[in-house]
Amino acid sequence: VQPQESGGGSVQSGGSLRLSCTSTHHIGCMGWFRQVPGKEREGVAALDSDDRTTYSDSVKGRFTISRDTTKTILYLQMNNLKPEDTAMYYCGTGPYYGGPCPLRTGHFGGWGQGTQVTVSS
């Protein structure tokens, strides 16, 4: 089942959004990635089955990744948004081999259609 992302939109700098990703129950890594046209997809945040989290330096302290108790809905709470956060946001799943889930695109798959986030200054 392809993940379904939602919650994107247009906000002003400093605003907040919460993204959701509905998927099937997954044991392993789940993560949020983002991509702007002409650039590679980059990792934003990930968590493993024990809810240990990994964040990119660019969002640390502003974004929070979490999921519901059924582990079928993945969230990304985004606070203090900046224009450079503007991108299409995707969720994906990947295997867990121990240690923090890596924020490498190649580790994840099963991408959804994405949800657009636009932050204006």
Side-chain angles (χ1 to χ4, degrees):
V1 177
Q2 188 177 36
Q4 182 65 51
E5 301 95 340
S6 63
S10 296
V11 297
Q12 291 191 327
S13 182
S16 298
L17 285 173
R18 188 175 82 155
L19 306 184
S20 299
C21 172
T22 303
S23 182
T24 56
H25 178 77
H26 178 74
I27 298 175
C29 296
M30 297 186 73
W32 285 99
F33 287 70
R34 64 188 181 187
Q35 188 170 21
V36 297
K39 292 190 175 182
E40 293 186 356
R41 191 168 297 187
E42 65 170 357
V44 175
L47 83 171
D48 63 25
S49 297
D50 293 323
D51 291 334
R52 288 171 294 200
T53 57
T54 308
Y55 295 95
S56 69
D57 288 342
S58 62
V59 306
K60 200 172 295 182
R62 300 188 297 121
F63 291 10
T64 303
I65 188 172
S66 63
R67 57 183 159 187
D68 73 325
T69 55
T70 67
K71 298 188 178 181
T72 59
I73 304 176
L74 184 69
Y75 300 105
L76 185 68
Q77 177 66 43
M78 306 186 296
N79 297 327
N80 191 22
L81 283 160
K82 303 176 180 181
E84 51 264 41
D85 295 318
T86 295
M88 185 72 80
Y89 283 71
Y90 301 89
C91 68
T93 57
Y96 179 66
Y97 299 126
C101 290
L103 289 176
R104 290 188 288 105
T105 306
H107 187 80
F108 288 79
W111 306 107
Q113 295 296 314
T115 185
Q116 177 68 38
V117 172
T118 303
V119 185
S120 58
S121 57

